[in-house]
């Protein structure tokens, strides 16, 4: 590693600090007030059956951790998609992962409502996660197949991917809307799922989703050199000796896997996967070796902050976290854009 | 050339049709709004013609006893049957499942408040349509424009029940039956309140009504169910939420530790309280809740407590039995 890059690693420290602060705030703040003393006591006595330790260990801690992991995962996937497509507008949902997952989850919710209505059995959540995951993989797989079949001159596979993704996204989106419209007693459930929420998520979800997020995110980090090359354009990358097709497919598969795992446990949380990589790029520069872990840290911190707000703003009621990420993220993002524009003048 | 000519003709035809429709619908814009109320002395023996003012403030002139009534709200359907106007009905929604006579009426698919087919409604030649309030405002205005007599009555709260009964009974010629029904309902509600009164302690039992589990949703005090819980002396654990059906924090629920959990029984849903208790106690942190520990989880038929109609007393009794089992000793 060159000395210059070593120097750049130092720039990660504020991000790590931000994440730690966000985690602390997320654990401290909630619908129920917990003082730091109570948190310390509850933290060291996880087996105790007091309300405090139940709330801390069973509800708040898993939720904060899951928010951090999903935020990090979405940000990394967003960074990878932006790199592969060389498109600043690309986000984790660009080739249909979100709409596929939404369709899968909607169908699962419908089936659950058909058989066992009111009460959650523990197996319902895994099933929801699995069908969301399957839906995402199916739709993205279909996008790849369509792109391969159309095979327009072999020069524009990226464009075909994006277009096929858009087309299939609107198709599955229409299916979800149709299901919502025909089952309007399910409207709130599906709608709140489409807006994204960490409400009622426990350790189960973490056990299921986090390994996938870590695995695919790590894979993407390992491929940061190829990503750097790919972002120069196909010709340059090929001249530099990269087998484009192989790496592109691997990156896309890993990023889709990561997105699907995130969406499956949290619903569709928009804007963060688009915003976090851009913000990190402004702070750390465009090299993926730094930008991917940076995006991960920033995305995790932002998601924890957003979820904390979602839990507390109108407590004891909650709002879907997707609303918060968009409302909170947009002004900050615009501010960064403007300030960067002024720097370069 | 021929093709272009054909297309041109088609476009012109379509334009003509559109403008024709436009001019037709714009004319009868506010027929009923400016009519002055007719003096009641004009009424004949059967009480018609009658002018009834609905919740939109629209006064509808009903020249004679309506015999082709359509109700687009399950609670209004129940009211119509309860006051003896069921025989005058021709249609109701596909959600209207009570009383059993609704099976003989034409069911109008109503998957969404706005998604009913206006053509179907008009084709049935109704002489009066009953609708809900704000929820179906758009539909009411559309039907008014088509010169279909429409009365819209809000159906959200206990007070709305009496109000709707009064309006519906006047419009259908069952004034006496309507007044009797209102009187009876008031009496029964008072009797129930009196019955649980001796068992009421300070504040009453803390109640959590779970509308939905994922996301965790409850009924706030602004909702009809929240109103019923309060009416019978229960203390809603989420009484401080303004939204009618809010998504709520699980942490707060565990901290507020409800004494009783009420679950709605939806169609094909589970009815076995034991199974519900075991499922609820599987959720992290719920095992310690008084309601789960003391097995005070009750399933209540959804229709009874979500429809502000004449069956409200049955729903209220179910809630009272759940909250004060000691007031209802088993025979």
């Amino acid at each position: 590693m060159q000395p210059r890059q070593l120097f750049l690693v130092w720039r990660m420290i504020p991000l790590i600090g931000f994440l730690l602060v966000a985690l602390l705030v997320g654990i401290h703040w909630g619908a129920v007030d917990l003082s730091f003393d109570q948190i310390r006591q509850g933290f060291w006595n996880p087996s105790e059956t007091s309300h405090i330790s139940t709330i801390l260990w069973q509800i708040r801690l898993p939720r904060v951790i899951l928010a951090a992991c999903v935020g990090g995962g979405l940000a990394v996937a967003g960074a990878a998609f932006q790199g592969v497509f060389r498109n600043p507008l690309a986000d984790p949902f660009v080739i249909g992962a979100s709409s596929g997952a939404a369709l899968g989850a909607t169908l699962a919710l419908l089936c659950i409502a058909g058989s066992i209505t009111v009460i959650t059995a523990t197996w319902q959540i895994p099933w929801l996660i699995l069908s969301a995951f399957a839906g995402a993989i199916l739709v993205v797989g279909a996008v790849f197949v369509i792109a391969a079949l159309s095979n327009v001159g072999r020069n524009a596979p990226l464009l075909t991917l994006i277009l096929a993704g858009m087309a299939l996204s609107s198709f599955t989106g229409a299916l979800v809307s149709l299901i919502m419209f025909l089952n309007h007693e399910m409207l709130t459930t599906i709608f709140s799922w489409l807006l994204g929420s960490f409400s009622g998520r426990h350790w189960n979800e973490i056990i299921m989703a986090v390994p996938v997020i870590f695995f695919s995110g790590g894979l993407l980090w390992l491929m940061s050199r190829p990503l750097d090359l790919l972002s120069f354009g196909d010709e340059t990358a090929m001249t530099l000796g990269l087998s484009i097709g192989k790496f592109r497919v691997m990156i896309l598969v890993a990023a889709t896997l990561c997105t699907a795992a995130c969406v499956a446990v949290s619903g569709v949380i928009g804007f963060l996967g688009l915003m976090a990589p851009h913000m990190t790029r402004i702070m750390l520069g465009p090299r993926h070796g730094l930008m991917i872990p940076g995006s991960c840290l920033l995305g995790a911190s932002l998601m924890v902050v957003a979820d904390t707000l979602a839990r507390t703003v109108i407590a004891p009621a909650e709002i879907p976290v997707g609303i918060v990420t968009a409302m909170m993220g947009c002004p900050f993002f615009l501010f960064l854009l403007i300030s960067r524009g002024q720097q370069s003048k | 050339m021929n093709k272009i000519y054909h297309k041109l003709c088609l476009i012109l035809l379509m334009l003509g049709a559109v403008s024709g429709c436009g001019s037709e619908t714009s004319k009868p814009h506010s027929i009923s709004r400016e009519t002055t109320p007719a003096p009641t002395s004009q009424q004949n023996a059967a009480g018609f013609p009658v002018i009834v003012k609905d919740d939109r403030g629209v006064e509808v002139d009903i020249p004679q006893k309506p015999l082709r009534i359509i109700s687009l709200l399950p609670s209004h359907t129940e009211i119509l049957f309860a006051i003896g106007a069921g025989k005058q009905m021709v249609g109701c929604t596909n959600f209207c499942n009570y009383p059993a006579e609704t099976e003989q009426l034409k069911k109008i698919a109503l998957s969404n408040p706005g998604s009913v087919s206006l053509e179907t409604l008009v084709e049935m030649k109704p002489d009066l349509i009953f609708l809900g309030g704000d929820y179906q405002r758009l539909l009411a205005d559309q039907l008014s424009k088509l010169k279909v007599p429409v009365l819209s009555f809000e159906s959200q709260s206990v007070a709305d029940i009496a109000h709707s009964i009064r309006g519906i009974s006047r419009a259908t010629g069952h004034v006496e039956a309507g007044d009797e029904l209102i009187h009876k309902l008031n009496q029964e509600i008072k009797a129930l309140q009196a019955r649980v009164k001796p068992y009421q302690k300070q504040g009453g039992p803390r109640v959590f009504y779970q509308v939905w589990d994922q996301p965790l949703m409850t009924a706030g005090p602004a909702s009809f169910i929240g109103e019923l819980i309060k009416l019978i002396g229960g203390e809603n654990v989420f009484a401080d939420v303004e939204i009618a059906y809010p998504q709520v924090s699980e942490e707060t629920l565990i901290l507020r530790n409800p004494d009783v959990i009420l679950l709605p029984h939806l169609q094909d849903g589970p009815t076995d309280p034991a199974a519900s208790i075991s499922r609820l106690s599987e959720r992290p942190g719920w095992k310690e809740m008084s309601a789960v520990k003391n097995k005070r989880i009750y399933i209540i038929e959804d229709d009874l407590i979500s429809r502000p109609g004449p069956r409200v007393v049955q729903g209220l009794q179910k809630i009272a039995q759940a909250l004060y089992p000691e007031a209802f000793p088993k025979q």
Side-chain angles (χ1 to χ4, degrees):
Chain A
M1 202 176 261
Q2 281 91 35
R4 183 170 153 67
Q5 262 184 313
L6 260 179
F7 167 71
L8 281 174
V9 172
W10 286 100
R11 290 206 202 164
M12 302 271 280
I13 287 175
L15 286 178
I16 297 173
F18 184 30
L19 178 61
L20 288 179
V21 171
L23 286 174
L24 260 183
V25 166
I27 293 169
H28 178 46
W29 279 359
V32 173
D33 275 327
L34 292 183
S35 71
F36 280 115
D37 254 2
Q38 284 173 317
I39 291 175
R40 214 178 43 238
Q41 278 166 18
F43 207 77
W44 297 124
N45 305 307
S47 55
E48 203 188 313
T49 51
S50 70
H51 290 316
I52 307 273
S53 97
T54 308
I55 288 173
L56 195 66
W57 275 99
Q58 309 275 12
I59 297 173
R60 197 170 293 177
L61 211 55
R63 193 167 164 169
V64 169
I65 291 172
L66 189 68
C69 292
V70 167
L74 285 178
V76 170
F81 277 118
Q82 284 169 11
V84 169
F85 288 121
R86 295 197 301 279
N87 186 339
L89 285 178
D91 71 349
F93 306 138
V94 69
I95 48 175
S98 74
S99 53
L103 184 64
T106 307
L107 287 174
L109 286 170
L110 203 66
C111 295
I112 291 172
S115 53
I116 303 150
T117 358
V118 194
I119 307 108
T120 330
T122 29
W123 55 266
Q124 281 184 6
I125 302 301
W127 196 37
L128 183 69
I129 292 178
L130 280 180
S131 30
F133 195 73
I137 299 289
L138 261 178
V139 168
V140 175
V143 168
F144 274 109
V145 170
I146 291 167
L149 282 179
S150 69
N151 209 3
V152 192
R154 281 201 167 270
N155 281 331
L158 284 179
L159 194 65
T160 322
L161 270 180
I162 292 185
L163 286 178
M166 276 172 61
L168 269 186
S169 280
S170 39
F171 178 73
T172 42
L175 279 181
V176 170
S177 303
L178 181 70
I179 295 172
M180 277 167 78
F181 192 78
L182 292 181
N183 302 278
H184 77 115
E185 71 277 3
M186 303 267 308
L187 205 68
T188 31
T189 320
I190 300 174
F191 190 56
S192 110
W193 202 87
L194 288 180
L195 289 174
S197 172
F198 292 105
S199 158
R201 307 298 195 273
H202 303 295
W203 294 108
N204 280 348
E205 284 82 11
I206 295 187
I207 293 167
M208 275 181 282
V210 169
V212 182
I213 296 175
F214 267 74
F215 172 73
S216 47
L219 217 58
L220 287 173
W221 193 21
L222 286 179
M223 290 190 281
S224 47
R225 291 297 294 164
L227 261 171
D228 282 344
L229 293 182
L230 276 175
S231 49
F232 285 123
D234 287 2
E235 284 83 13
T236 322
M238 227 182 306
T239 336
L240 291 169
L242 187 76
S243 58
I244 301 176
K246 198 179 84 186
F247 274 106
R248 184 182 286 141
V249 168
M250 271 168 72
I251 291 167
L252 286 176
V253 167
T256 301
L257 207 62
C258 192
T259 310
C262 292
V263 177
V265 285
S266 66
V268 183
I269 301 175
F271 211 71
L272 199 115
L274 173 73
M275 177 180 67
H278 280 298
M279 287 167 62
T280 322
R281 206 171 285 126
I282 291 169
M283 282 187 264
L284 297 178
R287 276 172 185 271
H288 286 88
L290 266 183
M291 204 197 74
I292 284 186
S295 303
C296 179
L297 288 172
L298 189 65
S301 328
L302 288 176
M303 188 67 96
V304 170
V305 171
D307 184 50
T308 308
L309 286 176
R311 282 183 288 144
T312 50
V313 170
I314 52 165
E318 294 188 357
I319 44 179
V321 69
I323 296 177
V324 183
T325 54
M327 282 175 71
M328 179 186 82
C330 177
F332 193 34
F333 185 55
L334 292 180
F335 166 75
L336 270 184
L337 266 185
I338 293 167
S339 65
R340 183 183 64 160
Q342 274 163 358
Q343 266 173 19
S344 64
K345 260 179 200 168
Chain B
M1 193 61 210
N2 216 359
K3 262 187 191 168
I4 296 174
Y5 178 71
H6 273 172
K7 274 185 191 164
L8 252 171
C9 271
L10 237 153
I11 291 170
L12 279 176
L13 261 172
M14 273 156 72
L15 270 176
V18 168
S19 61
C21 288
S23 61
E24 234 172 86
T25 43
S26 59
K27 258 184 268 164
H29 189 56
S30 50
I31 9 151
S32 39
R33 211 155 290 196
E34 275 108 40
T35 49
T36 46
T40 40
S41 57
Q42 271 186 359
Q43 291 174 356
N44 59 26
F48 290 96
V50 66
I51 287 178
V52 179
K53 193 173 174 181
D54 74 356
D55 287 356
R56 293 175 297 163
V58 176
E59 281 165 336
V60 177
D61 195 353
I62 301 160
Q64 58 206 3
K65 190 171 178 174
L67 293 170
R68 298 191 59 81
I69 299 173
I70 295 177
S71 156
L72 290 183
L73 205 65
S75 59
H76 286 350
T77 306
E78 292 191 17
I79 290 175
L80 280 163
F81 276 97
I83 59 173
K87 286 203 183 75
Q88 294 157 250
M89 289 181 70
V90 288
C92 60
T93 75
N94 51 347
F95 292 107
C96 298
N97 51 6
Y98 184 91
E101 288 95 308
T102 49
E103 287 309 313
Q104 287 146 24
L105 299 176
K106 182 169 162 69
K107 298 270 177 137
I108 295 151
L110 199 67
S111 68
N112 240 328
S115 77
V116 65
S117 153
L118 286 177
E119 291 179 11
T120 313
L121 285 179
V122 173
E123 194 226 341
M124 289 170 72
K125 297 194 196 76
D127 49 13
L128 193 54
I129 296 183
F130 287 110
L131 284 171
D134 287 339
Y135 189 56
Q136 290 172 321
R137 166 63 56 87
L138 191 68
L139 187 57
D141 290 343
Q142 283 170 340
L143 285 165
S144 286
K145 274 184 195 161
L146 295 170
K147 289 189 176 178
V148 178
V150 174
L151 283 171
S152 108
F153 291 109
E154 197 62 77
S155 182
Q156 303 276 343
S157 65
V158 177
D160 286 340
I161 301 176
H163 180 70
S164 296
I165 294 177
R166 205 166 289 129
I168 292 174
S169 60
R170 267 147 193 76
T172 55
H174 296 270
V175 183
E176 267 174 42
D179 290 346
E180 253 170 54
L181 181 62
I182 294 172
H183 183 69
K184 186 176 139 238
L185 290 179
N186 280 336
Q187 291 278 307
E188 285 174 345
I189 291 175
K190 281 207 188 91
L192 266 180
Q193 281 174 321
R195 186 161 181 181
V196 299
K197 192 101 190 165
Y199 302 93
Q200 229 163 23
K201 287 172 224 113
Q202 196 74 38
R206 293 187 305 275
V207 186
F208 173 66
Y209 180 85
Q210 181 187 277
V211 173
W212 203 268
D213 55 350
Q214 280 286 347
L216 192 67
M217 279 169 61
T218 189
S223 66
F224 181 60
I225 299 159
E227 199 185 351
L228 291 185
I229 291 172
K230 198 175 165 198
L231 201 63
I232 206 68
E235 193 192 326
N236 193 336
V237 289
F238 285 105
D240 53 343
V241 177
E242 281 163 28
I243 309 165
Y245 295 99
Q247 186 184 328
V248 290
S249 147
E250 204 175 359
E251 297 176 1
T252 314
L253 176 66
I254 287 174
L255 191 80
R256 294 189 179 173
N257 192 17
D259 301 315
V260 179
I261 295 178
L262 301 179
L263 304 171
H265 166 56
L266 307 174
Q267 274 165 5
D268 326 316
T271 42
D272 180 16
S276 320
I277 292 169
S278 73
R279 285 215 189 89
L280 285 185
S281 59
E282 274 172 25
R283 291 192 211 161
W286 284 55
K287 219 177 292 175
E288 311 302 325
M289 234 179 264
S290 322
V292 180
K293 234 190 266 174
N294 302 327
K295 303 193 190 309
R296 291 192 64 186
I297 295 168
Y298 303 92
I299 297 174
I300 296 180
E301 199 188 325
D302 185 41
D303 289 346
L304 293 180
I305 47 173
S306 61
R307 285 183 191 172
R311 286 195 292 166
V312 59
V313 177
Q314 292 174 45
L316 206 57
Q317 173 152 2
K318 289 268 163 63
I319 299 178
Q321 280 169 338
L323 264 51
Y324 303 99
E326 59 276 17
F328 300 87
K330 283 187 184 117
Q331 277 88 27

